[in-house]
Amino acid sequence: MTAIATAQSCANIAFVKYWGRRDDALRLPLNASISMNLDAATTTTTVAFDPALAADEVTIHGAEDGGGAARRVSEHLDRVRALAGIATRARVASRNSFPMGAGIASSASAFAALTAAACAAAGVELDERALSILARQGSGSACRSIPTGFVEWHAADTSAGSYAESIAPPGHWDLRDLIAIVQTAHKTVGSSKGNALVSTSPFAAARLAEAERALPAIRRAILARDFAAFGEETEQEAIRMHAVAMTSRPSLLYWSPETVRLMHAIRAWRDEGLPAYFTIDAGANVHVLCEGAHAGAIGARLRAEPGVGDVIANRPGPGTRLLDGHLF
Ligand code: DP6
């Protein structure tokens, strides 16, 4: 058994969103979702099981976390310990290449990398599907960061049926996600909480039906590299997710004034003939989707917009992989 291992995972951006669960404990989603791994937004995580430790030690970005994040990491390590048949505590260090908790799926890359590193360190050998199922229980969207490229997460009533798999490799389509950072502070209501409030929205059932209709259309558009069809459906789906969030009780409003300003700007650019669409996760930052040919022009326009602090330019990214070097 190797006692130490390191894994790296990309965050992912969902085109059909995971928003609402049929089972909270197992994190089984209401609807299937589709995403793309983001090659410039990664989490690297080292896990070492050490018999000398009395408790798990979790360091995120150099700072020790004794709070909520560390508890969630420990609970996930318990799942791996149960599979390995060990009780040994672990030292965990994790580093992101992007700001945490700002609407980039930091829990997705974090729990995908944690799953792969912890399994490797504990000597638990799982195939991609089993890793995806395990990552899902840590954070739903994390299951989509295990496979490569463009990914679909199946909805099912059983844990074994709800895993993610690749529908196309990164090289299939030169789609870009330019993330316009308008907020780097931790959002006030995390997606775990938002996911749990879905049933309180009067629009939940309508949005679910629309997500189920949109999914095959978005899958087809990705496979056919049909940017206009892809963008139209993806933008509408994001707005539907936020309509549910806004009409939940309590109401969740993730958009800042800069978010709305960018939504208008992107639509105006489109009217001028510059093909770009937006999607937004549970935060204020705007993910601007375009093809490689227009990424330079759109990136320059985004950087010139007031309120945009940084732009993280992503291409389709790889799946979770083990690295040779460790963080400690
Ligand atoms: C808006 O995966 O963060 O990003 O399962 O509670 O950890 P938990 O939720 P999480 O939710 C992600 C929500 C989303 C949409 C998506 O990525 O599909």
Side-chain angles (χ1 to χ4, degrees):
M1 164 177 142
T2 321
I4 185 165
T6 298
Q8 188 171 71
S9 300
C10 296
N12 66 74
I13 182 63
F15 306 134
V16 177
K17 307 291 186 188
Y18 150 51
W19 200 245
R21 288 184 284 253
R22 59 182 76 186
D23 184 305
D24 281 332
L26 285 170
R27 287 190 148 82
L28 296 175
L30 285 174
N31 60 281
S33 55
I34 288 191
S35 62
M36 177 181 102
N37 288 342
L38 304 175
D39 76 334
T42 61
T43 299
T44 305
T45 300
T46 296
V47 178
F49 288 97
D50 182 347
L53 293 174
D56 293 323
E57 281 177 14
V58 179
T59 307
I60 299 172
H61 253 292
E64 195 158 325
D65 190 315
R71 228 180 356 262
R72 223 170 134 183
V73 167
S74 270
E75 283 168 15
H76 200 56
L77 289 171
D78 287 343
R79 295 182 181 105
V80 176
R81 281 189 277 257
L83 287 173
I86 59 171
T88 319
R89 303 290 114 180
R91 187 170 292 116
V92 178
S94 189
R95 211 159 262 290
N96 287 334
S97 67
F98 55 88
M100 279 174 68
I104 309 179
S106 59
S107 68
S109 51
F111 279 92
L114 177 68
T115 302
C119 283
V124 175
E125 278 182 39
L126 299 180
D127 61 15
E128 183 183 280
R129 182 184 297 192
L131 276 175
S132 176
I133 289 169
L134 185 56
R136 188 202 73 226
Q137 296 168 64
S139 174
S141 56
C143 76
R144 295 189 312 240
S145 285
I146 299 287
T148 189
F150 298 85
V151 173
E152 181 168 340
W153 171 15
H154 304 292
D157 284 328
T158 61
S159 188
S162 189
Y163 58 90
E165 61 186 335
S166 183
I167 58 169
H172 164 72
W173 191 15
D174 188 15
L175 186 67
R176 307 289 177 92
D177 175 12
L178 309 180
I179 311 173
I181 307 290
V182 298
Q183 176 189 296
T184 55
H186 249 284
K187 59 191 177 246
T188 43
V189 178
S191 32
S192 287
K193 182 94 184 296
N195 259 308
L197 293 176
V198 168
S199 63
T200 65
S201 164
F203 301 138
R207 183 262 154 190
L208 178 59
E210 274 296 287
E212 285 172 347
R213 180 201 56 76
L215 185 124
I218 290 179
R219 187 203 298 121
R220 267 196 307 276
I222 290 171
L223 295 179
R225 302 182 196 89
D226 181 342
F227 182 69
F230 163 80
E232 286 292 337
E233 285 287 358
T234 296
E235 199 173 284
Q236 291 284 342
E237 163 64 9
I239 292 169
R240 289 192 298 263
M241 181 208 112
H242 285 271
V244 168
M246 285 179 211
T247 53
S248 293
R249 285 176 190 266
S251 164
L252 304 177
L253 180 55
Y254 289 109
W255 301 343
S256 71
E258 290 74 26
T259 310
V260 178
R261 163 202 279 280
L262 286 177
M263 294 161 81
H264 283 290
I266 291 154
R267 288 185 172 178
W269 300 344
R270 213 150 71 212
D271 290 343
E272 290 170 28
L274 195 55
Y277 291 86
F278 61 78
T279 185
I280 304 162
D281 275 348
N285 295 327
V286 180
H287 293 250
V288 186
L289 304 167
C290 64
E291 290 184 287
H294 303 287
I298 292 165
R301 286 189 183 212
L302 284 173
R303 285 186 184 85
E305 284 291 320
V308 174
D310 195 9
V311 176
I312 304 175
N314 295 278
R315 297 167 188 256
T320 295
R321 61 239 174 258
L322 294 173
L323 303 184
D324 291 332
H326 306 303
L327 293 179
F328 56 83

